[in-house]
Amino acid sequence: QVQLVESGGGLVQPGGSLRLSCAASGSILSLYAMAWYRQAPGKGRELIAQITSSGTTFYGDSVKGRFTISKDFAKYTVYLEMNSLRPEDTAVYLCYGNLKEAGGRPRDYWGRGTQVTVSS
């Protein structure tokens, strides 16, 4: 069974940096794309960064120039480097993967999330 597990969240001061990691495990045949979403209390889920197997990236307007997504798909892992963090970046950050499991069709998978809190 495929699982996505995030790590690296925590408490950071405004202007600080954090690096999130997400590793997918299981019987993975093909990994097409991975992404980071976030959800703040009382708000909807927001796509903040995505990267495909070919390396094409997408960033949400709220994080452009501050966050960088990268991958090591040989390890089924995606990273999110977050710089110049602001209090409004506080949220649960969720990892997403579009992949094909052995014996299955491509489908979406989600991690449980990691909390990022930006506060002085």
Side-chain angles (χ1 to χ4, degrees):
Q1 185 176 358
V2 172
Q3 288 187 320
L4 273 61
V5 179
E6 303 95 337
S7 61
L11 174 64
V12 63
Q13 292 188 342
S17 299
L18 277 177
R19 187 183 194 227
L20 305 183
S21 300
C22 172
S25 62
S27 301
I28 299 169
L29 285 185
S30 300
L31 184 55
Y32 303 109
M34 295 187 80
W36 289 95
Y37 287 71
R38 67 186 181 189
Q39 188 159 19
K43 294 189 177 181
R45 191 169 290 185
E46 175 191 10
L47 171 62
I48 57 172
Q50 177 176 288
I51 188 165
T52 68
S53 57
S54 64
T56 301
T57 57
F58 164 85
Y59 293 96
D61 288 342
S62 61
V63 305
K64 278 180 184 176
R66 301 188 297 124
F67 291 10
T68 302
I69 189 169
S70 61
K71 65 177 178 70
D72 183 351
F73 277 11
K75 297 181 180 179
Y76 304 129
T77 300
V78 66
Y79 307 96
L80 186 69
E81 188 75 34
M82 305 186 294
N83 298 313
S84 302
L85 283 161
R86 306 166 180 168
E88 54 264 39
D89 294 317
T90 296
V92 174
Y93 284 69
L94 300 120
C95 179
Y96 159 90
N98 180 251
L99 58 91
K100 186 164 78 172
E101 193 175 1
R105 298 180 177 181
R107 51 161 287 195
D108 299 333
Y109 293 85
W110 292 90
R112 290 190 169 186
T114 185
Q115 177 70 44
V116 172
T117 302
V118 184
S119 175
S120 55

